[in-house]
């Protein structure tokens, strides 16, 4: 049984971003330590280092003073560290008991499983935590909450000394959260070191003993839960120097007619969304991870099925069912995951830019190469894409340049884009290129487009948008103008209803 | 110029030339005799049609194993119709239509029912091969229609088989299709990243339907052509050549990962394969060893393709 | 033995399958009264044994998320190796062992390509299938290889309790044995884990490559065994023997509830799957339809089985989604009220 987990001067940088900078704190056995911070603060990076998924650039993770050296995740598991993520790591077709004891089912020397023993031990564990589960149930039939409990049981059975939770209550109902909390408290009572990563204030005050606040990769506060309150925490989480970047922007001040009206839109992931966007306006969608912003964008773009509600473009109600239809109506989307969803990496810059307008660069039945080259040259110049030629493969470009290719694809002159949706346009991009992109976004607005920007960086979404819609749990929780919005207010709205 | 020399196609071309030279030497010049060259050209035709169909599907990231069955079944359809006195044009169109229809079924299974393409086409392969047997009760059907025989056997200028014209036209048409039309471009984009292609406004399902139907139609044409050449439609038919299409495509640099490759490489692959098969016969390698060699060639081609693809992927990730 | 485990061993659609099999048998009986005569039933059992033995190996591979399209050729080759060994003077038990060893080698080769070169199972076994088909013809010069040892033939013709042909009994014993391994041993459960969630399996300390290798080797040996038994029954090893072996095995397995994506299924379902397709094809023969109808039928049944699998999992997913949405909406509603 280990007594203390310590992070000592952990630093981790990715190309263009410093994710963690000299983070140090410790967590003791028998206590529940919270890791609080907004998106991009560094919480998930820290967890990945803890679980052995990635390695820190410098600094150490120490268990009872001994530095841990994990090369692969299974090292961390064997070292006694379990991280419960949001994605389930189980085999749905097997039973609860088989998943709890996965890989180490009790067997005799011939390998024959002793099912009686397995069931007994699994059920004992389940009963110890007073969970409403039967060891023989098939995991695939359980609800998300119940599956999570199975995973916690597995971590416990492994005799992990450290059990970390990453946003565990994201998909849970009230009653399930109560059971989960009892479970977590019991884990602490049994002497485990529990780390609880979350952005939900109410819960943090409910079960944690100590709170570590991360902001921009640094540890900014270290409180005992009983000695602090919500406003103090929020203040610690936000409030940063934005500098001149946003002040120097040349914005669009004129507003035209309404280009996009979303009326009571409901899909599987979002409920009853209503939103208005005018020509020349930049609307920001703020919220925490899982709030439903990307899902809303996809619904507006026709990529996901709409169950009810209406999308009205320039006064005309639309009925498109796929991205192709949305593009024909003048709606364009730049997806969140550049490499997986936004670009065909094995093709050239030219071919990626013209994906959406192939019908329009035709001469009779053939593609007009000259037109295509001209179009992409214009885009390269307009967005200052650094490349020796437009024939270069997109997979070989830097992140910033790749993003610009996607922008070029969505906004070239053959597109007549009226509504442009940008999902995390500056993710993974260095500071210098970010400023460039902010101006490009303002220029879009100036040219008459309506722009929707989704961003998890509060200062970014606050300062680029004219109007901010805050989302939580698939719904809109607030609408603010740039003047009246503040980081604290937005964060509160983003955490509302949790 | 340098990039071409280092490219896969250049290596293949080199291999092709080496192959021709070696077999010519081993056969005492036999492979270079006009009558043999005619044979090679005729087999190139058949393989080309199959390779175009299989190759375009592979670029889009799918595979079609039913082409042999489709070819055989269609050749029977054509032969039987001819026997009933149906004019040659109608019989040909009917055969191709049947092939296209099976292709449509393949597309349906993959698009709407979510089957993996290899298992879906494996199933249709069974069905079409069996159907071919059923139509004819296992017996061969002779083709007596003069036009068909002409198409299959006439030599232009005494040397060039008429059917080669068909292959050349097909290769040129499809090369242009892939490189210069919206549909062709969509094939590459869908194969390269299906999700991104969809979010960019393309319709992957439509593309796949088109490709499967096309492959089926081409396979039907190939099967019918073979039957015309042999003057008889039988159950062996084209079934033995279907892996040839696949092998030639892979040899020609059409990566199984999807999204890369083209007709240029495919042509070289087709020629390599045809010369390889022909050369083995001319050097008197026993027929069953030829089957082994063909299978080994396929395996070698796949291995080579995977090895070079993964090395390429690794360097992409670093960037 | 409780109900849920029994259900899992059989796969989810076993009742429907039994019903269909019974209906089909009834149909054929009406069309030809000899269909259910004892002799014919023995034929059916014999026919089942060949495909069934191959299916056992294939099922394990499928559950792990792999496949071997060359199983039929491996079976054919196994029988040939045995026959050749017998001709060379080896006593037949040794010839059997030689065939099994050969099958194991085939498995190693497959595993090499899948694990080391990282080629997907279906494409590499496709290539290997071509090679083996050719080699079979080379080795036998396309003639059946006689295996003229009457004591050997007993392997194919002996009966247990006077009714059940030995090949059938062997198949059943293998199915029960492997079924037990699947459901009651650590190794078996690990196979499910690899197929169900390979990453999670690795994180739990399981070594997928080693298990996959074992499964391919096992599959090769079982295929070879099937070939040997067929040789014993036919008194010779024919190069034509097993052209559709792999597809039949896959069809039977998928019919029996083994999902193509891995992680699901059981031996009981496989048994019923094999029963159904064999009954079906025997029925077609009984009513006078020539064998090529059966090839069509195989393909059609495979399409049917996979479609059923698709619709099943789609329905299951929809049900789960609907439940989640309902809960979430209720949750939101409760929150608003409070």
């Amino acid at each position: 049984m280990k007594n203390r987990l310590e992070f000592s001067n952990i630093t981790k940088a990715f190309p263009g971003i410093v994710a963690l900078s000299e983070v140090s704190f410790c967590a003791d056995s028998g206590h529940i330590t919270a890791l609080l911070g907004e998106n991009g603060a560094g919480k998930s990076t820290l967890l990945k280092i803890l679980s052995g998924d990635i390695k820190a650039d410098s600094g150490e993770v120490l268990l009872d003073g001994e530095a841990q050296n994990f090369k692969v995740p299974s090292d961390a598991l064997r070292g006694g560290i379990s991280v419960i993520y949001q994605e389930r790591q189980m085999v749905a077709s097997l039973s609860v008991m088989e998943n709890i004891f996965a890989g180490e089912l009790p067997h005799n020397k011939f390998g024959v499983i002793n099912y009686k023993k397995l069931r007994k031990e699994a059920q004992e564990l389940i009963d110890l935590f007073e969970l409403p589960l039967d060891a023989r149930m098939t995991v695939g039939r359980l609800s998300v909450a119940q599956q999570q409990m199975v995973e916690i049981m597995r971590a416990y059975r492994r005799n992990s000394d450290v059990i970390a939770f990453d946003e565990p209550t994201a998909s849970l109902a009230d009653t399930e959260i109560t059971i989960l909390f009892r479970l977590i408290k019991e884990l602490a009572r049994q002497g485990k070191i529990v780390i609880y990563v979350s952005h939900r204030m109410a819960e943090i005050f409910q079960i944690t003993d100590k709170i570590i606040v991360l902001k921009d990769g640094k540890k900014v506060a270290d409180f005992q839960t009983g000695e602090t309150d919500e406003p103090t925490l929020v203040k610690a989480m936000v409030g940063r120097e934005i500098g001149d970047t946003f002040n120097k922007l040349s914005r669009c001040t004129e507003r035209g007619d309404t280009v996009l009206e979303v009326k009571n839109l409901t899909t599987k992931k979002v409920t009853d969304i209503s939103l208005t966007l005018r020509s020349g306006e930049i609307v920001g969608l703020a919220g925490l991870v899982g709030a439903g912003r990307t899902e809303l964008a996809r619904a507006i773009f026709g990529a996901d099925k709409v169950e009810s509600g209406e999308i009205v473009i320039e006064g005309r109600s639309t009925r498109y069912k796929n991205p192709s239809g949305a593009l024909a109506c003048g709606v364009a989307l730049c997806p969140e995951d550049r490499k997986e969803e936004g670009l065909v990496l094995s093709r050239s810059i030219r071919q990626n830019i013209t994906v959406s307008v192939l019908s329009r660069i035709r001469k009779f039945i053939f593609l007009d190469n000259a037109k295509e080259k001209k179009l992409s040259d214009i885009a390269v110049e307009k967005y200052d894409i650094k490349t020796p030629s437009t024939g270069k493969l997109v997979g070989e470009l830097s992140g910033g340049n790749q993003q610009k290719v996607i922008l070029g694809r969505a906004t070239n002159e053959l597109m007549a884009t009226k509504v442009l949706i940008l999902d995390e346009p500056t993710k993974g991009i260095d500071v210098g290129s970010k400023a460039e992109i902010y101006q490009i976004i303002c220029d879009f607005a100036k040219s008459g487009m309506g722009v929707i920007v989704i961003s998890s960086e509060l200062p970014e979404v606050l300062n680029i948008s004219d109007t901010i819609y805050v989302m939580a749990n698939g719904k809109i929780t607030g609408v603010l103008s740039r003047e009246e919005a503040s980081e604290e207010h937005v964060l509160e709205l983003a955490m509302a209803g949790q | 110029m340098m990039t071409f020399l280092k490219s896969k196609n250049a290596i293949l071309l080199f291999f092709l030339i080496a192959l021709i030279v070696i077999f010519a030497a081993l056969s005492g010049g036999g492979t270079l005799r006009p009558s043999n060259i005619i044979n090679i050209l005729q087999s190139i035709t058949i393989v080309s049609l199959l390779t175009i169909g299989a190759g375009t599907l592979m670029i889009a990231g799918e595979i079609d194993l039913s082409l042999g069955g489709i070819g055989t079944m269609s050749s029977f359809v054509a032969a039987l119709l001819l026997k009933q006195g149906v004019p040659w044009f109608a019989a040909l169109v009917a055969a191709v239509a049947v092939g296209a229809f099976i292709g449509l079924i393949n597309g349906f299974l993959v698009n709407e029912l979510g089957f993996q393409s290899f298992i879906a086409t494996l199933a249709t392969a069974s069905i079409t091969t069996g159907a071919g047997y059923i139509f004819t009760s296992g017996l061969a059907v002779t083709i007596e229609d003069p036009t068909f025989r002409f198409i299959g056997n006439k030599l232009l200028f005494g040397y060039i088989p008429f059917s080669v014209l068909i292959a050349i036209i097909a290769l040129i048409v499809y090369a242009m299709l892939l490189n210069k039309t919206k549909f062709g471009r969509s094939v590459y984009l869908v194969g390269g990243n299906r999700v991104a292609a969809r979010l960019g406004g393309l319709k992957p399902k439509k593309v796949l339907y088109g490709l499967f139907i096309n492959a089926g139609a081409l396979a039907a044409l190939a099967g019918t052509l073979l039957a015309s050449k042999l003057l008889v439609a039988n159950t062996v038919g084209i079934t033995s050549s279907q892996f040839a299409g696949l092998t030639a495509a892979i040899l020609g640099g059409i990566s199984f990962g999807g999204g890369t490759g083209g007709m240029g490489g495919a042509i070289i692959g087709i020629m390599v394969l045809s010369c390889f098969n022909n050369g083995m016969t001319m050097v008197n390698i026993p027929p069953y060893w030829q089957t082994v060699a063909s299978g080994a060639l396929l395996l070698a081609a796949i291995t080579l393709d995977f090895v070079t693809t993964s090395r390429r992927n690794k360097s992409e990730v670093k960037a | 033995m409780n109900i849920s485990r029994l259900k899992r061993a059989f796969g989810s659609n076993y009742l429907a399958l039994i019903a269909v099999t019974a209906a089909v048998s009834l149909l054929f009986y009406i069309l030809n009264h000899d269909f259910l005569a004892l002799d014919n039933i023995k034929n059916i059992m014999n026919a089942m044994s060949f495909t069934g033995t191959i299916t056992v190996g294939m099922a394990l591979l499928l559950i792990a998320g792999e496949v071997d399209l060359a199983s039929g050729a491996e079976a054919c080759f196994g029988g040939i190796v045995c026959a050749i060994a017998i001709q060379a003077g080896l006593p037949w038990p040794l010839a059997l062992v030689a065939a099994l060893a050969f099958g194991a080698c085939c498995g190693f080769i497959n595993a090499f390509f899948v694990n080391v070169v990282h080629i997907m199972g279906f494409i590499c076994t496709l290539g290997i299938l071509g090679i083996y088909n050719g080699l079979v013809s080379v080795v036998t010069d396309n003639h059946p290889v006689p295996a003229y040892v009457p004591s050997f033939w007993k392997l194919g013709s002996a009966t247990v309790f006077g009714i059940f042909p030995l090949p059938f009994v062997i198949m059943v014993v293998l199915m029960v044995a492997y079924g037990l391994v699947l459901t009651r041993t650590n190794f078996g459960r690990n196979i499910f884990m690899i197929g169900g969630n390979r990453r999670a399996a690795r994180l739990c300390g399981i070594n997928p490559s080693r298990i996959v290798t074992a499964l391919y080797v096992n599959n090769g040996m079982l295929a070879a065994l099937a070939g040997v038994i067929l040789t014993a029954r036919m008194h010779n090893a024919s190069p034509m023997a097993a052209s559709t072996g792999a597809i039949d095995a896959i069809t039977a397995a998928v019919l029996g509830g083994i999902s193509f994506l891995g992680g699901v299924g059981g031996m009981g379902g496989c048994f019923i799957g094999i029963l159904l397709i064999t009954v079906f094809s025997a029925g077609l023969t009984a009513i006078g339809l020539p064998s090529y109808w059966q090839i069509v039928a195989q393909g059609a049944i495979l399409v049917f089985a996979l479609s059923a699998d698709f619709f099943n999992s789609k329905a299951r997913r929809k049900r789960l989604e609907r439940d989640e949405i309902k809960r979430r909406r209720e949750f939101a509603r409760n929150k608003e009220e409070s």
Side-chain angles (χ1 to χ4, degrees):
Chain A
M1 179 77 62
K2 300 277 193 268
N3 287 315
R4 169 173 280 220
L5 170 71
E6 186 179 342
F7 289 91
S8 169
N9 284 319
I10 302 278
T11 304
K12 176 74 186 174
F14 295 107
I17 305 194
V18 176
L20 293 170
S21 170
E22 312 235 321
V23 174
S24 302
F25 66 92
C26 38
D28 294 314
S29 88
H31 292 101
I32 303 176
T33 308
L35 256 190
L36 180 66
E38 37 146 13
N39 297 326
K43 310 191 295 283
S44 15
T45 312
L46 201 59
L47 275 187
K48 285 200 186 135
I49 293 178
L50 179 64
S51 71
D53 220 343
I54 60 180
K55 251 179 109 81
D57 295 336
S58 68
E60 290 176 319
V61 175
L62 303 135
L63 267 181
D64 277 356
E66 250 185 71
Q68 307 292 307
N69 192 349
F70 304 134
K71 297 205 185 67
V72 278
S74 35
D75 284 347
L77 275 178
R78 251 173 284 138
I81 299 182
S82 291
V83 178
I84 315 267
Y85 290 106
Q86 290 199 42
E87 312 93 43
R88 301 276 69 88
Q89 295 292 328
M90 285 188 292
V91 180
S93 54
L94 297 182
S95 67
V96 168
M97 54 191 182
E98 285 159 327
N99 271 286
I100 294 180
F101 283 84
E104 294 168 20
L105 307 172
H107 55 267
N108 65 19
K109 66 174 186 285
F110 290 114
V112 179
I113 302 175
N114 187 338
Y115 268 104
K116 252 167 89 185
K117 185 164 174 218
L118 177 66
R119 174 158 166 237
K120 181 158 161 289
E121 287 186 16
Q123 197 64 52
E124 271 173 12
L125 200 58
I126 296 172
D127 293 337
L128 174 68
F129 290 88
E130 288 175 41
L131 296 175
L133 293 175
D134 182 309
R136 292 167 293 171
M137 293 164 130
T138 312
V139 163
R141 300 249 165 106
L142 299 180
S143 73
V144 173
Q146 290 168 319
Q147 291 186 9
Q148 199 175 47
M149 293 174 197
V150 176
E151 211 168 317
I152 298 174
M153 291 291 94
R154 180 165 68 180
Y156 180 80
R157 201 254 342 145
R158 276 200 215 111
N159 270 323
S160 302
D161 300 305
V162 178
I163 304 186
F165 292 88
D166 189 4
E167 311 273 4
T169 55
S171 355
L172 300 189
D174 260 351
T175 40
E176 293 162 339
I177 296 182
T178 317
I179 301 180
L180 178 68
F181 284 174
R182 194 170 33 77
L183 193 52
I184 296 180
K185 284 196 199 144
E186 179 64 29
L187 287 174
R189 216 179 54 78
Q190 302 258 345
K192 306 294 182 196
I193 303 172
V194 178
I195 304 219
Y196 190 84
V197 173
S198 176
H199 54 254
R200 300 184 175 193
M201 294 289 197
E203 295 171 3
I204 293 194
F205 280 105
Q206 231 183 309
I207 59 166
T208 63
D209 305 307
K210 181 164 144 177
I211 306 176
I212 312 283
V213 181
L214 292 181
K215 179 167 94 180
D216 292 337
K218 298 201 181 71
K219 181 188 95 171
V220 293
D222 189 331
F223 295 116
Q224 291 299 311
T225 311
E227 296 168 1
T228 181
D229 59 9
E230 189 165 327
T232 320
L233 287 176
V234 173
K235 192 130 175 267
M237 281 166 71
V238 304
R240 45 176 72 69
E241 295 289 319
I242 354 162
D244 281 335
T245 326
F246 289 104
N247 296 334
K248 285 210 198 116
L249 284 178
S250 157
R251 298 176 190 267
C252 173
T253 43
E254 290 177 25
R255 299 279 179 270
D257 298 323
T258 308
V259 282
L260 169 71
E261 215 185 322
V262 176
K263 295 185 183 169
N264 305 105
L265 191 71
T266 302
T267 70
K268 284 203 180 108
K269 306 274 174 72
V270 300
T271 321
D272 202 29
I273 306 283
S274 293
L275 183 153
T276 326
L277 177 68
R278 283 175 297 164
S279 153
E281 185 181 5
I282 301 179
V283 157
L285 286 185
L288 300 162
V289 172
R293 299 163 297 155
T294 299
E295 288 73 14
L296 175 59
R298 285 178 61 98
I300 299 178
F301 187 56
D304 287 341
K305 191 154 159 236
V306 166
E307 287 179 6
S308 70
E310 229 186 321
I311 300 176
V312 179
I313 309 278
E314 282 188 338
R316 253 179 297 132
S317 180
T318 64
R319 327 218 109 239
Y320 46 75
K321 298 202 185 119
N322 52 37
S324 170
L327 285 164
C329 289
V331 181
L333 170 71
C334 296
E336 183 183 353
D337 191 337
R338 232 167 273 142
K339 294 196 176 153
E340 298 289 316
E341 300 185 331
L343 296 166
V344 183
L345 295 176
S346 55
R347 313 305 307 172
S348 68
I349 297 177
R350 217 180 293 164
Q351 296 200 353
N352 272 279
I353 289 185
T354 54
V355 173
S356 316
V357 293
L358 290 174
S359 341
R360 290 174 232 191
I361 52 172
R362 282 200 284 208
K363 209 176 5 185
F364 307 115
I365 27 167
F366 294 132
L367 297 175
D368 188 336
N369 277 335
K371 238 192 215 171
E372 185 181 44
K373 187 160 187 307
K374 193 164 135 231
L375 202 66
S376 43
D377 283 342
I378 295 178
V380 164
E381 216 199 293
K382 180 169 168 200
Y383 296 110
D384 195 24
I385 300 177
K386 309 224 172 15
T387 173
S389 101
T390 51
K392 199 164 157 115
L393 293 186
V394 159
E396 294 166 16
L397 294 175
S398 73
N401 282 319
Q402 284 179 344
Q403 182 65 3
K404 291 177 184 171
V405 171
I406 300 185
L407 288 177
R409 182 192 83 189
T411 58
N412 59 63
E413 56 198 22
L414 289 181
M415 294 271 299
T417 310
K418 304 181 187 120
V419 175
L420 179 65
I421 309 175
L422 302 170
D423 196 345
E424 306 281 1
T426 63
K427 185 166 86 166
I429 296 185
D430 62 280
V431 180
S433 308
K434 272 194 203 191
E436 263 186 290
I437 296 194
Y438 294 148
Q439 186 57 56
I440 292 177
I441 298 178
C442 289
D443 291 341
F444 286 148
K446 280 202 228 172
S447 73
M449 281 188 225
V451 183
I452 299 180
V453 176
I454 299 177
S455 172
S456 297
E457 287 183 41
L458 269 186
E460 184 175 270
V461 76
L462 272 175
N463 285 289
I464 193 88
S465 325
D466 300 315
T467 315
I468 303 165
Y469 283 74
V470 188
M471 286 184 74
N473 272 335
K475 301 179 121 166
I476 307 255
T477 50
V479 183
L480 307 166
S481 72
R482 183 170 72 239
E483 290 76 29
E484 56 182 1
S486 68
E487 279 193 52
E488 283 100 335
H489 196 179
V490 171
L491 201 54
E492 273 170 27
L493 285 172
M495 301 206 240
Q498 305 290 4
Chain B
M1 185 60 179
M2 277 319 277
T3 35
F4 174 71
L5 280 181
K6 280 198 238 167
S7 77
K8 221 169 167 183
N9 284 350
I11 301 176
L12 266 174
L13 204 54
F14 183 70
F15 187 54
L16 174 65
I17 297 175
L19 209 60
I20 295 177
V21 168
I22 293 176
F23 275 123
L26 286 177
S27 66
T31 50
L32 299 176
R33 247 182 267 137
S35 55
N36 190 47
I37 301 214
I38 293 177
N39 276 338
I40 297 184
L41 288 176
Q42 279 179 321
S43 92
I44 284 184
T45 307
I46 311 286
V47 175
S48 297
L49 294 173
L50 291 173
T51 306
I52 294 174
T56 47
L57 270 170
M58 278 177 67
I59 294 176
E62 306 288 345
I63 194 173
D64 193 336
L65 300 174
S66 62
L67 297 179
I70 294 179
T72 310
M73 186 166 116
S74 307
S75 70
F76 278 132
V77 166
L80 285 173
L81 283 177
L82 284 175
K83 267 225 143 52
Q84 303 294 329
V86 172
W88 71 270
F89 188 68
L92 187 62
V93 168
V96 170
V98 164
F101 179 67
I102 308 285
L104 177 65
I105 295 182
N106 280 333
F108 177 79
L109 294 177
V110 171
N111 276 333
E112 313 303 338
L113 293 187
F115 286 13
Q116 283 173 284
S117 55
F118 94 89
I119 197 73
T121 54
L122 212 56
T124 29
S126 286
I127 297 179
T128 49
T129 313
Y133 278 85
I134 291 176
F135 287 164
T136 59
S137 313
L139 303 166
V141 181
T142 52
I143 293 185
E144 278 144 30
D145 184 293
T147 322
F148 261 66
R149 292 182 156 207
F150 172 92
I151 296 177
N153 286 297
K154 175 72 175 168
L155 297 176
L156 295 173
F157 314 120
Y159 285 120
I160 306 176
F162 181 77
S163 49
V164 170
L165 270 188
I166 299 182
I168 295 179
I169 296 177
L171 284 168
I172 295 180
V173 165
Y174 279 93
M176 288 203 303
L177 184 79
L178 277 181
N179 288 326
K180 290 184 176 298
T181 65
K182 173 180 178 190
F183 182 76
R185 179 67 65 80
S186 315
V187 171
Y188 281 101
L189 292 168
V190 166
N193 186 335
R194 193 165 167 163
V195 172
R198 180 170 179 260
L199 287 181
L202 297 175
K203 300 199 187 139
K205 280 194 182 173
K206 206 165 108 178
V207 170
L208 286 185
Y209 268 122
L211 290 176
F212 274 114
I213 293 175
N214 176 64
L218 286 175
L221 185 60
T224 314
L225 273 178
L226 181 64
S228 310
K229 169 179 170 222
L230 299 176
L231 304 178
V232 70
N234 61 27
T235 52
V236 171
I238 219 168
T239 325
S240 49
S241 323
Q242 70 166 346
F243 283 4
L246 210 60
T247 313
I250 298 178
L251 270 177
I254 295 183
S255 173
F256 198 57
T260 50
M263 284 297 120
I267 292 176
I268 304 180
I270 294 168
M271 292 202 290
V272 167
L273 190 69
S274 303
C275 291
F276 186 73
N277 286 336
N278 174 274
M280 286 201 291
T281 314
M282 289 307 282
V283 175
N284 287 323
I285 293 184
Y288 308 128
W289 278 112
Q290 292 186 31
T291 321
V292 176
S294 301
L297 190 64
L298 176 61
L299 207 57
I302 299 170
T303 311
L304 207 69
D305 173 64
F306 264 71
V307 165
T308 46
T309 313
S310 54
R311 232 183 285 142
R312 209 191 314 145
N313 281 339
K314 272 194 206 129
S315 62
E316 256 178 20
V317 169
K318 247 181 249 157
Chain C
M1 184 87 116
N2 57 57
I3 296 296
S4 67
R5 217 153 11 106
L6 195 70
K7 242 200 199 157
R8 247 181 314 126
F10 271 75
S12 47
N13 19 5
Y14 75 109
L15 267 180
L17 278 180
I18 296 182
V20 172
T21 311
V24 166
S25 309
L26 191 62
L27 174 68
F28 284 125
Y29 175 69
I30 295 175
L31 293 174
N32 178 346
H33 286 305
D34 284 331
F35 187 66
L36 292 181
L38 192 62
D39 259 348
N40 200 33
I41 294 191
K42 271 197 191 162
N43 281 339
I44 292 179
M45 288 198 275
N46 270 323
M48 276 180 72
S49 68
F50 180 70
T51 311
T53 311
I54 298 181
T55 307
V56 173
M58 184 72 83
L60 292 177
L61 279 173
L62 286 174
I63 292 179
E66 302 282 344
V67 74
D68 182 0
L69 293 177
S71 290
E74 286 162 9
C76 185
F77 226 144
I80 290 172
V81 165
C82 180
I84 292 179
I86 287 181
Q87 281 202 319
L90 278 178
W92 71 260
L94 278 184
L96 171 63
V97 170
L100 289 179
F102 174 79
C105 286
C106 292
F108 273 115
I109 295 176
N110 282 336
F112 170 75
F113 278 106
V114 171
N115 282 330
V116 176
V117 190
H118 288 304
I119 305 181
M120 279 187 281
F122 83 85
I123 192 74
C124 87
T125 52
L126 195 63
I128 288 179
L129 176 64
I131 296 181
Y132 287 169
N133 276 336
L135 280 178
V136 159
S137 297
V138 166
V139 167
T140 65
D141 204 23
N142 237 8
H143 297 309
V145 181
Y148 205 84
V149 178
S151 58
F152 176 53
W153 299 343
K154 287 249 186 65
L155 191 61
S157 59
T159 52
V160 175
F161 304 138
I163 316 178
F164 301 107
L166 185 59
F168 180 77
V169 172
I170 294 180
M171 174 191 86
V172 170
V173 166
L174 283 172
M175 286 195 144
V176 170
Y178 278 94
L180 287 175
V181 166
L182 273 180
T183 53
R184 289 175 158 269
T185 67
N186 210 7
F187 181 73
R189 277 353 219 170
N190 287 347
I191 299 178
F192 277 95
M193 286 220 75
I194 295 176
N197 189 336
R198 202 154 180 166
R199 185 165 188 268
R202 216 176 279 137
L203 284 181
C204 290
I206 300 174
N207 185 338
S209 303
R210 233 185 306 154
I211 295 186
V212 164
T213 305
L215 291 181
Y216 271 110
V217 168
N218 173 68
N219 179 64
M221 288 181 13
L222 283 173
L225 178 64
V228 167
I229 296 180
L230 184 66
T231 305
R233 208 159 38 97
M234 298 287 145
H235 304 178
N236 62 40
S238 162
M240 297 288 145
S243 39
T244 53
I247 303 186
D248 292 347
I250 296 178
T251 310
V254 173
L255 261 183
I258 294 189
S259 172
F260 219 68
L261 301 166
V264 185
M267 279 297 154
C270 283
F271 181 82
I272 301 179
I274 300 167
L275 179 65
L276 180 55
I277 62 177
T278 313
V279 159
F280 196 70
S281 87
L284 290 181
T285 317
I287 61 176
L289 279 179
S291 60
Y292 17 94
W293 275 101
Q294 295 173 25
I295 306 181
V296 177
Q298 298 301 22
I301 292 180
L302 183 58
V303 171
F304 165 73
L306 288 171
S307 311
D309 185 39
F310 170 77
F311 284 122
N312 257 344
S313 43
K314 206 169 171 212
R316 223 180 303 141
R317 238 180 299 137
K318 263 210 182 119
R319 211 190 326 129
L320 283 175
E321 262 174 20
R322 236 182 306 136
D323 291 340
E324 280 290 326
I325 297 176
K326 230 194 307 169
R327 274 189 330 113
R328 209 167 291 170
R329 300 235 169 103
E330 263 180 52
F331 174 38
R333 224 176 303 141
N334 291 338
K335 264 269 132 95
E336 279 173 17
E337 287 165 14
S338 64

